[in-house]
Structures are given as C-alpha cells and as structure tokens.
Amino acid sequence: MAFSKLVFTPLSYVGWGALNQLLPEVEKHQPEKILVVTDPVLAELGIVKNIISPLEEAGFSVSIYDDIEPEPPLAVGEKLVAYTRINKFDLIIGIGGGSALDLAKLTAVLSVHDGSVSTYLNLTGTEPLLHKGLPKILIPTTAGTGSEVTNISVLSLESTKDVVTHDFLLADTAIVDPELTVTVPAKVTAATGVDALTHAVEAYVSVNASPTSDALALQAIRLIGKSLRRAVENGSDKQARIEMMEGSYIAGLAFFNAGVAGVHALAYPLGGQFHVSHGESNAVLLPYVMGYIRRSCEKRMADILEALGGNKAFLSDEDASYKCVEELQRLVKDVGIPNTLQGFDIPERAIDRLTEDGVKQKRLLARSPMPLEKDDIYRIYEAAFTGEVVEKHKKIVKS
C-alpha cells in the first residue's frame, strides 16, 4: 500500500491497577443511568460487583445485564439492544471477554438506531450506521480478544458468524488491567491466549500490513510467545499475566489496523456450526492455515519464528518458515488445545458444509497473502481433520 490508515481507541489505560481509572472516566460523562453488560459467571462470582462498587458509592445508578452467552447468537444481540432502547441508558460499560465487550459495543451504537440488528450485519445487512451512539467504556477480563480496541461486534448465525463493523463501535475508553485475569481458568487462558497470538500472526502476514502494524504484531508475538505457557501453568504468575494482557492489547491494535484473514475466516464456521469457542477455533486452525500459505510469506514467517523465541540463525527463510509452523503446532499442543478437528468431535462429513460457509467470509479472505479459493479452503479443513499440515501441491508434516 502507498499509505496506511491507522485508527486507535481514543483513550486506553493499560497495566496493573488500571481499573482505578474507571471512576474518573465515568465522572467525565456524568451519566444518569449506567448499563453494565457482562458475563453471568463474572456476575455470579462477585467480580462485577467489586468493579462497580466505587461507582455505586459515588452515587451513580448502575444496572447489570448478564443475559448473554459465549459466541452470542443474533437473538441475544437483538434482545439486549431492545432492552437498552426501552430503559434509556446514557453510558454503557462492558466487562468480560470478547462476547460481553462485543455486545456492549453493539448496544451502545444500535440502541440509538431504528430497526433490528440483522439489518446492520456485514454480509446481509442493508442499513448504514448513522450515529455514534452512547459513550462506552470497555474492560476486558481475559487476555485474548482485543475487542476493547476494535470496531467489530461478532454474532453467531445458524451455521456461521457475521459482524457489525464501524468506527462508531470503538470504545471511548479501554481499561486493560491484567489483575482481572489472575482467576481465569487455565483452559480459557489457553484459548484466549492463542486467539491473541492468531491476531498478531495474521496481522503480520496480512496484505494490509504496515510498518506500524508490523511493529505492534511482532511485539505482541514476543510477549505472548514467552508468557502463554507460564500463564496457563500458573495463573498467579503476575509477570506472565501482565505480559499476556499487554500482548493481547497490542495484538488487538495490530489486527484492527491490518486485519485478520484465513484463520479467522475458517474459524467462524467452526463456532457457528459446532459451537467451538472462538479461541479454540483459531487455535486448531492456525498451524494448518499458516502451513498452507507458507510459500506466500516465508520471510514474514521467519520473523514470526524469531519473535516466538525460535532460532532462525543459519536457516533460509524457507526452512525457518517450516519451523514456524512446527512451533505454532507445539505451542497449541503445550497449552492443552486439541490439534485436530477430530479432537472437537467434528466428523469428516462436516468438511463440505464448513467449506461452503468458510468461502463466504470474503471480507477476511481478501487479506490473505495467498488467495484462498473453495478448493484451498476444503484442503485446509481436511488437513485440520487428519492432522497433516499441507500446502498447495505438497504435504509437509503429520501433526
């Protein structure tokens, strides 16, 4: 590209103790009615209550909405938007993982628009977004999605996923405090962590990459590569949690500006058809997609290997790119995520339907450094089923 368009969330607080900035940020808006959109588990554990107690003590009226679910279906988004419209809130706070943050962004914008959420979807919607909507503060409690710094809200459809996307969905303030991730279970830490890594890897090889997104992506890979295993093994490892949260945040900035591609395009149908979590969907596909497109981005994959802590000295870019695929496989395996579709009980007969939905994700596929047509997508899913990493016309290695 001759030039790059770079967009960032207006204000972010990042680091241990950043949550202390919530009250001052809320006070800037002087809201009469605050809506907190969150995960029911966080509400049940009392985590949300602890976060909002300073707001209530300061006299703010706060309502909690936790009628959401992972990989939220379109109906969940429709219900939340209707609730927000009826109750006339004037500030939205999202607390949780990607699902809660995506829904918070969605309702902040669409609650001031008419019509159903479905009419604003990327693939099938026909209505434009005309208004910025309500102010929103986003507080992630996992190190993974990067939703706090992106302009996308992802919703599950019958067999795939679609998004509402516009810069109006950007947070007014992101508060990124790694202390909130200390109690996240190992399985969630692993899935969200590989999700963040995928954001950085795909951003680095994206056709829309820029020097700015490259710097962000490589630093995110460095941070995640050295801390993910530690965070999964010991959730109380403060430094690992700090590095993971910073890595996730930086990866979010990278992929928001450069975009993600084939891994995410093929992950959406896994979530839509089989309800595999977004992080696990990305994780199981990451080595297979990168292996398939390897020849289109050998030098960049060599850089990724080095950022992951691998040694590329005395290796050609070709050899280093092979080792990069191997290191991605190793990392996914080390954090306990199944490395084949069979590990998620997905039958071989599903590959045709997965391919049909995967090829529809043209917004994502357009950023791949290697064009991925229907036959290519089928081969990648087939590889992920058998555990054999393949590239065009060639088998590489059995997982």
Side-chain angles (χ1 to χ4, degrees), residues 207-355:
V207 297
N208 294 333
S210 70
T212 302
S213 66
D214 285 351
L216 292 166
L218 286 176
Q219 179 61 4
I221 294 168
R222 292 185 193 103
L223 289 168
I224 296 166
K226 70 177 182 177
S227 60
L228 178 54
R229 291 177 176 91
R230 290 160 39 217
V232 171
E233 182 178 347
N234 177 14
S236 298
D237 186 329
K238 179 178 178 180
Q239 189 58 35
R241 290 298 193 180
I242 290 172
E243 291 168 357
M244 282 303 304
M245 202 63 153
E246 290 177 345
S248 171
Y249 170 77
I250 295 169
L253 296 176
F255 93 82
F256 175 45
N257 284 282
V260 289
V263 179
H264 278 71
L266 275 61
Y268 278 5
L270 287 183
Q273 294 182 31
F274 294 97
H275 307 292
V276 180
S277 76
H278 178 63
E280 290 176 321
S281 297
N282 279 331
V284 70
L285 290 168
L286 178 60
Y288 301 103
V289 174
M290 297 308 297
Y292 195 85
I293 69 171
R294 182 197 61 77
R295 284 187 293 174
S296 67
C297 50
E298 287 181 348
K299 172 62 171 68
R300 287 189 167 250
M301 289 184 66
D303 295 340
I304 292 168
L305 172 67
E306 186 174 49
L308 285 169
N311 184 2
K312 69 172 187 177
F314 310 113
L315 294 178
S316 66
D317 288 341
E318 180 182 20
D319 288 342
S321 68
Y322 281 122
K323 285 193 173 295
C324 178
V325 175
E326 293 171 1
E327 180 56 33
L328 293 173
Q329 287 180 302
R330 188 177 301 113
L331 180 56
V332 171
K333 182 178 180 180
D334 286 351
V335 297
I337 298 174
N339 58 5
T340 68
L341 298 184
Q342 295 180 70
F344 292 98
D345 296 323
I346 296 172
E348 188 172 12
R349 65 177 181 275
I351 294 176
D352 284 325
R353 190 175 174 211
L354 289 169
T355 301

Side-chain angles (χ1 to χ4, degrees), residues 54-68:
L55 307 182
E56 294 176 325
E57 291 169 4
F60 289 106
S61 172
V62 183
S63 299
I64 297 175
Y65 187 99
D66 63 2
D67 188 12
I68 70 171

Side-chain angles (χ1 to χ4, degrees), residues 32-97:
E32 293 185 6
K33 294 178 67 177
I34 301 170
L35 176 63
V36 171
V37 180
T38 191
D39 185 286
V41 174
L42 295 179
E44 183 179 342
L45 293 175
I47 294 172
V48 175
K49 191 67 176 176
N50 291 337
I51 292 174
I52 67 172
S53 60
L55 307 182
E56 294 176 325
E57 291 169 4
F60 289 106
S61 172
V62 183
S63 299
I64 297 175
Y65 187 99
D66 63 2
D67 188 12
I68 70 171
E69 55 190 88
E71 318 298 323
L74 176 61
V76 171
E78 299 278 14
K79 184 177 179 181
L80 172 58
V81 169
Y83 176 85
T84 308
R85 287 171 178 167
I86 291 170
N87 287 279
K88 306 294 184 183
F89 295 100
D90 46 14
L91 174 66
I92 306 295
I93 300 176
I95 301 174

Side-chain angles (χ1 to χ4, degrees), residues 6 32 71 158 303 317 363 394 397:
L6 301 170
E32 293 185 6
E71 318 298 323
E158 183 177 347
D303 295 340
D317 288 341
R363 175 182 66 91
K394 184 177 179 181
V397 65

